[in-house]
Coordinates of all heavy atoms in Angstrom, one line a residue:
Chain T
A106 N 0.3 -26.8 15.5 CA -0.7 -27.4 14.5 C -0.3 -28.8 14.0 O 0.8 -29.0 13.8 CB -0.7 -26.5 13.2
K107 N -1.4 -29.7 14.1 CA -1.2 -31.1 13.8 C -2.3 -31.6 12.8 O -3.5 -31.2 13.0 CB -1.2 -31.9 15.0 CG 0.0 -31.6 15.9 CD 1.3 -32.2 15.4 CE 2.5 -31.8 16.3 NZ 3.7 -32.0 15.7
E108 N -1.9 -32.5 11.9 CA -2.8 -33.0 11.1 C -3.0 -34.6 11.4 O -1.9 -35.2 11.9 CB -2.3 -33.0 9.7 CG -3.0 -32.1 8.8 CD -2.4 -31.9 7.3 OE1 -1.2 -31.5 7.3 OE2 -3.0 -32.3 6.4
T109 N -4.1 -35.2 11.3 CA -4.1 -36.6 11.5 C -5.0 -37.3 10.4 O -6.0 -36.6 10.0 CB -4.7 -37.0 12.9 OG1 -4.7 -38.4 13.0 CG2 -6.1 -36.4 13.2
K110 N -4.7 -38.5 10.1 CA -5.6 -39.2 9.1 C -6.6 -40.1 9.8 O -7.4 -40.6 9.2 CB -4.6 -40.0 8.1 CG -3.9 -39.2 7.2 CD -3.0 -40.1 6.2 CE -2.4 -39.1 5.2 NZ -1.4 -39.7 4.4
N111 N -6.5 -40.1 11.1 CA -7.4 -40.9 12.0 C -8.7 -40.0 11.9 O -8.8 -38.9 11.9 CB -6.8 -40.8 13.4 CG -7.5 -41.8 14.3 OD1 -8.6 -42.0 14.3 ND2 -6.7 -42.6 15.0
K112 N -9.9 -40.9 11.7 CA -11.1 -40.2 11.5 C -11.8 -40.0 12.9 O -12.7 -39.2 13.0 CB -12.1 -41.0 10.5 CG -11.8 -40.8 9.2 CD -12.9 -41.4 8.3 CE -13.8 -40.4 7.7 NZ -14.7 -40.9 6.7
T113 N -11.5 -40.8 13.8 CA -12.3 -40.9 15.1 C -11.7 -40.3 16.3 O -12.3 -40.1 17.2 CB -12.8 -42.3 15.5 OG1 -11.6 -43.1 15.5 CG2 -13.7 -42.9 14.3
S114 N -10.3 -40.0 16.2 CA -9.7 -39.5 17.4 C -8.4 -38.9 16.9 O -7.8 -39.2 15.9 CB -9.5 -40.5 18.5 OG -8.5 -41.3 18.1
F115 N -7.8 -38.0 17.9 CA -6.5 -37.3 17.7 C -5.5 -38.0 18.7 O -5.7 -37.7 19.9 CB -6.6 -35.8 17.9 CG -5.3 -35.1 17.9 CD1 -4.6 -34.9 16.7 CD2 -4.7 -34.7 19.0 CE1 -3.4 -34.2 16.6 CE2 -3.5 -34.1 18.9 CZ -2.9 -33.8 17.8
P116 N -4.5 -38.8 18.2 CA -3.7 -39.4 19.2 C -2.7 -38.4 19.9 O -2.1 -37.5 19.2 CB -2.8 -40.3 18.2 CG -3.6 -40.5 16.9 CD -4.3 -39.1 16.8
L117 N -2.7 -38.5 21.2 CA -1.8 -37.5 21.9 C -0.4 -37.7 21.7 O 0.4 -36.8 22.0 CB -2.2 -37.7 23.4 CG -3.5 -37.1 23.9 CD1 -3.9 -37.5 25.3 CD2 -3.5 -35.5 23.8
S118 N 0.0 -38.8 21.0 CA 1.4 -39.0 20.7 C 1.9 -38.1 19.6 O 3.1 -37.9 19.4 CB 1.7 -40.5 20.1 OG 0.8 -40.7 19.2
N119 N 0.9 -37.3 19.0 CA 1.4 -36.3 18.1 C 2.0 -35.0 18.8 O 2.5 -34.2 18.1 CB 0.1 -35.8 17.3 CG -0.2 -36.8 16.1 OD1 0.6 -36.9 15.3 ND2 -1.4 -37.3 16.3
I120 N 1.8 -35.0 20.2 CA 2.2 -33.8 20.9 C 3.3 -34.3 21.8 O 3.3 -35.4 22.3 CB 1.0 -33.3 21.8 CG1 -0.2 -33.0 20.9 CG2 1.4 -32.0 22.6 CD1 -0.1 -31.8 20.1
H121 N 4.2 -33.4 22.1 CA 5.4 -33.7 23.0 C 5.3 -33.1 24.3 O 4.7 -31.9 24.4 CB 6.7 -33.5 22.4 CG 6.9 -34.1 21.0 ND1 7.2 -35.5 21.1 CD2 6.9 -33.7 19.8 CE1 7.2 -35.9 19.8 NE2 7.1 -35.0 19.0
Q122 N 5.8 -33.6 25.4 CA 5.7 -33.0 26.7 C 6.3 -31.7 26.8 O 5.7 -30.7 27.3 CB 6.5 -33.9 27.8 CG 6.4 -33.4 29.2 CD 5.1 -33.5 29.8 OE1 4.5 -34.5 29.7 NE2 4.6 -32.4 30.3
H123 N 7.3 -31.4 26.0 CA 8.0 -30.1 26.1 C 7.1 -29.0 25.4 O 7.1 -27.8 25.7 CB 9.4 -30.1 25.3 CG 9.4 -30.2 24.0 ND1 9.5 -31.4 23.3 CD2 9.2 -29.3 22.9 CE1 9.4 -31.3 22.0 NE2 9.2 -29.9 21.7
Q124 N 6.2 -29.5 24.4 CA 5.3 -28.4 23.9 C 4.2 -28.0 24.9 O 3.8 -27.0 24.9 CB 4.7 -29.1 22.5 CG 5.8 -29.3 21.5 CD 5.2 -30.0 20.3 OE1 4.5 -31.0 20.4 NE2 5.7 -29.7 19.1
I125 N 3.8 -29.2 25.6 CA 2.8 -28.8 26.7 C 3.4 -27.9 27.7 O 2.8 -26.9 28.1 CB 2.3 -30.2 27.3 CG1 1.7 -31.1 26.2 CG2 1.5 -30.0 28.5 CD1 0.3 -30.7 25.9
D126 N 4.6 -28.3 28.1 CA 5.3 -27.4 29.1 C 5.5 -26.0 28.6 O 5.1 -25.0 29.4 CB 6.7 -27.9 29.3 CG 6.7 -29.4 30.1 OD1 5.6 -29.7 30.6 OD2 7.7 -30.0 30.1
H127 N 5.8 -25.8 27.3 CA 6.0 -24.4 26.8 C 4.6 -23.8 26.8 O 4.5 -22.6 27.1 CB 6.5 -24.6 25.4 CG 6.6 -23.2 24.7 ND1 7.5 -22.3 25.0 CD2 5.7 -22.7 23.7 CE1 7.3 -21.2 24.2 NE2 6.2 -21.4 23.5
M128 N 3.5 -24.5 26.4 CA 2.2 -23.8 26.3 C 1.8 -23.4 27.7 O 1.2 -22.3 27.9 CB 1.2 -24.7 25.6 CG 1.3 -24.5 24.1 SD -0.1 -25.2 23.2 CE 0.5 -26.7 22.8
K129 N 2.0 -24.3 28.7 CA 1.6 -24.0 30.1 C 2.3 -22.7 30.5 O 1.8 -21.9 31.3 CB 1.9 -25.2 30.9 CG 0.9 -26.4 30.9 CD 1.1 -27.4 32.0 CE 0.0 -28.4 32.0 NZ 0.2 -29.6 32.8
D130 N 3.5 -22.7 30.2 CA 4.4 -21.5 30.6 C 3.8 -20.3 30.1 O 3.7 -19.3 30.7 CB 5.8 -21.8 30.2 CG 6.8 -21.0 31.1 OD1 6.5 -20.8 32.2 OD2 7.8 -20.6 30.6
C131 N 3.6 -20.2 28.7 CA 3.1 -19.1 28.2 C 1.6 -18.7 28.6 O 1.3 -17.5 28.8 CB 3.1 -19.3 26.6 SG 4.7 -19.4 25.8
H132 N 0.8 -19.8 28.9 CA -0.5 -19.6 29.4 C -0.4 -18.9 30.8 O -1.1 -17.9 31.1 CB -1.1 -20.9 29.4 CG -2.6 -20.9 30.0 ND1 -3.0 -21.3 31.2 CD2 -3.7 -20.5 29.3 CE1 -4.3 -21.1 31.3 NE2 -4.8 -20.6 30.2
H133 N 0.6 -19.4 31.5 CA 0.8 -18.8 32.9 C 1.1 -17.3 32.8 O 0.7 -16.6 33.6 CB 1.9 -19.5 33.6 CG 2.5 -18.8 34.7 ND1 2.0 -18.9 36.0 CD2 3.6 -18.1 34.8 CE1 2.8 -18.1 36.9 NE2 3.8 -17.7 36.1
H134 N 1.9 -16.9 31.8 CA 2.2 -15.5 31.7 C 1.2 -14.6 31.0 O 1.4 -13.4 30.7 CB 3.6 -15.4 30.8 CG 4.8 -15.9 31.6 ND1 5.3 -15.2 32.7 CD2 5.6 -16.9 31.4 CE1 6.3 -15.9 33.2 NE2 6.6 -16.8 32.4
G135 N 0.1 -15.2 30.6 CA -1.1 -14.4 30.1 C -1.2 -14.5 28.6 O -2.0 -13.8 28.0

Side-chain angles (χ1 to χ4, degrees):
Chain T
K107 293 289 177 194
E108 252 174 300
T109 181
K110 285 184 176 162
N111 198 312
K112 280 192 101 170
T113 54
S114 71
F115 174 76
L117 286 166
S118 56
N119 280 299
I120 306 287
H121 299 289
Q122 182 67 53
H123 72 267
Q124 294 170 323
I125 297 286
D126 293 342
H127 174 74
M128 280 196 260
K129 280 193 176 171
D130 203 32
C131 293
H132 183 256
H133 162 82
H134 287 297

